[in-house]
Amino acid sequence: MSAVFENPSETPFPRHLSVLPDEVLEALAPERGGWFVDCTTGLGGHTEALLRANDAVRVVAIDRDREALGFAERRLAPFAGRVTFVHRDYRELPDVLDELKLPSVAGILADLGVSSWQLDDAERGFSFQRSGALDMRMDRTQMTTAAKLVNGLPERELADVIFEFGEERLSRRIAKRIVEARRVAPIETTAQLAEIVRKCVPVHGKQRIDPATRTFQAIRIAVNRELDELDGFVAACVERLAPGGRLAIISFHSLEDRLIKHAMRREAGMAPEDDTPRSQMDWNLGKRPEPRVTLISRKPVTASEAEQAANPRARSAKMRVCEKIGPVVGRAESGNNREYGKK
Ligand SMILES: C[S@@+](CC[C@H](N)C(=O)[O-])C[C@H]1O[C@@H](n2cnc3c(N)ncnc32)[C@H](O)[C@@H]1O
């Protein structure tokens, strides 16, 4: 039977289908019990799955979006006492675990990016399909909004953001048009920004994706600093896993997946696959990190055809999993060295 985690659909509870539900459970093996961390609780789908899987599971449920945590708290009320909600950035994981006096945990999950309800809610300003104030903050207590970047960044920097985080080859043209438009009046809504971008990008035949998609992704990543310190985050997770404990990270675009792949390979003591002559040189000079994990699979785990048909968001999901090396002591906090895919 599939572990399905759709939230109750009656309004006002928003809707978000958790991706790779069965695969996440298989990766994290909650049947062994202990403390788990859901770094991106969102509406609580994966957290609920972990809690339902075993009464001996407890979860630290982190999200930087206070509103999302509010919904998750409502949803997870039946599990009160087994889940601790924390409104923080997951990059502060070591501090969070120190404050909770948890030296190590049995498993850590991060399901990166934004959830469907954040994207769909016009008021949150992520959507190019529904007009709203140009906001895009996951944490609405932070100061930097999309409007601030779009109206404030110098043209060159704006183009770099759109190129680097959106992989948009027309970045210079788009940045130029944005700067021309904001000279007349500030760009205040998602509809205004989308219109400017659409006018810059020629449409060839029947295009499936909106021409504004890549620019919106880029601005969102910049506003929320989504790629910053991902590398350090992986290292911090590995540090706090008990031997045999598992780390599972789901990403939705190649920029994130590449960073996670490299970070996990480094933790596994593997040669850098990349890239810079510098890292190759360090490797050849013997500056090889001691392996702290084994990779559970070389290739990322992706959604089944059935899941992709039911949940279009799952099409781009890639999950990478690694397991902390070391002698497994006790059951409460540790993993079980089980081979992935084998029951
Ligand atoms: C894809 S959703 C998670 C959905 C969740 N797994 C579920 O099953 O409902 C991603 C969530 O991560 C949160 N998030 C993104 N970056 C974060 C960060 N740096 N720290 C904490 N939460 C973050 C977002 O606010 C969003 O709620």
Side-chain angles (χ1 to χ4, degrees):
M1 200 186 74
S2 170
V4 179
F5 304 106
E6 183 174 356
N7 340 308
S9 57
E10 62 273 16
T11 48
F13 203 98
R15 190 185 145 86
H16 173 86
L17 272 176
S18 304
V19 299
L20 300 169
D22 298 329
E23 294 82 352
V24 163
L25 287 186
E26 190 172 352
L28 294 180
E31 60 274 11
R32 60 200 148 96
W35 277 98
F36 288 76
V37 184
D38 187 345
C39 293
T40 51
T41 301
L43 300 180
H46 288 123
T47 304
E48 180 174 349
L50 289 166
L51 291 163
R52 274 193 194 287
N54 181 354
D55 289 348
V57 160
R58 303 186 68 179
V59 180
V60 179
I62 301 175
D63 204 291
R64 78 204 288 200
D65 185 329
R66 205 184 278 282
E67 224 177 311
L69 274 185
F71 284 121
E73 254 182 287
R74 262 176 57 197
R75 174 190 193 147
L76 301 170
F79 304 95
R82 292 173 51 206
V83 50
T84 303
F85 296 94
V86 183
H87 176 233
R88 291 283 268 280
D89 190 309
Y90 56 65
R91 287 167 284 210
E92 296 167 51
L93 180 74
D95 294 342
V96 171
L97 293 182
D98 285 348
E99 285 159 27
L100 294 171
K101 303 200 176 0
L102 286 172
S104 65
V105 292
I108 302 176
L109 170 69
D111 172 17
L112 304 178
V114 277
S115 61
S116 320
W117 78 273
Q118 286 168 320
L119 278 178
D120 292 347
D121 183 355
E123 214 200 290
R124 301 297 300 263
F126 290 102
S127 174
F128 45 77
Q129 281 152 345
R130 297 182 181 84
S131 188
L134 203 47
D135 188 325
M136 300 197 197
R137 289 170 301 172
M138 290 187 208
D139 179 352
R140 294 217 260 187
T141 63
Q142 82 170 41
M143 302 297 283
T144 307
T145 62
K148 277 207 175 140
L149 296 189
V150 167
N151 291 297
L153 282 182
E155 182 176 329
R156 179 79 194 249
E157 272 180 54
L158 197 53
D160 288 348
V161 162
I162 297 171
F163 182 72
E164 203 181 319
F165 299 152
E167 300 180 289
E168 170 59 86
R169 59 188 179 81
L170 298 172
S171 57
R172 305 241 165 268
R173 186 190 298 175
I174 295 170
K176 185 165 181 279
R177 293 278 172 80
I178 288 175
V179 169
E180 282 164 8
R182 78 190 190 194
R183 263 192 215 117
V184 180
I187 302 164
E188 281 166 349
T189 67
T190 55
Q192 282 173 295
L193 178 62
E195 210 34 50
I196 294 167
V197 178
R198 286 183 192 126
K199 283 191 183 142
C200 299
V201 182
V203 180
H204 303 292
K206 265 197 194 153
Q207 208 161 306
R208 267 187 45 223
I209 73 158
D210 190 300
T213 309
R214 283 186 293 274
T215 300
F216 270 64
Q217 171 184 300
I219 305 287
R220 192 199 87 203
I221 289 176
V223 168
N224 296 292
R225 301 183 303 105
E226 288 176 44
L227 303 180
D228 289 13
E229 298 161 43
L230 262 186
D231 196 57
F233 168 65
V234 170
C237 290
V238 169
E239 182 66 33
R240 302 305 285 254
L241 279 177
R246 293 268 181 91
L247 167 65
I249 305 187
I250 305 171
S251 63
F252 292 87
H253 53 77
S254 54
L255 299 168
E256 267 171 358
D257 182 56
R258 209 174 303 145
L259 287 170
I260 290 153
K261 180 170 92 176
H262 282 237
M264 284 195 183
R265 281 179 64 89
R266 186 204 54 222
E267 291 296 337
M270 295 163 79
E273 258 187 354
D274 57 335
D275 83 342
T276 58
R278 173 90 234 157
S279 56
Q280 285 294 350
M281 204 165 75
D282 282 352
W283 179 259
N284 293 333
L285 286 171
K287 291 186 193 162
R288 299 173 190 186
E290 267 302 298
R292 298 200 293 172
V293 299
T294 48
L295 300 186
I296 294 305
S297 64
R298 293 287 169 109
K299 292 234 176 310
V301 178
T302 53
S304 65
E305 275 180 29
E307 185 184 352
Q308 292 189 33
N311 180 9
R313 231 182 122 258
R315 286 181 201 148
S316 47
K318 285 188 177 154
M319 179 171 73
R320 294 192 182 265
V321 187
C322 62
E323 181 175 296
K324 182 87 175 265
I325 293 171
V328 177
V329 279
R331 285 183 59 77
E333 289 184 332
S334 64
N336 62 357
N337 285 321
R338 202 167 53 95
E339 218 178 301
Y340 190 71
K342 295 199 175 153
K343 305 256 174 199

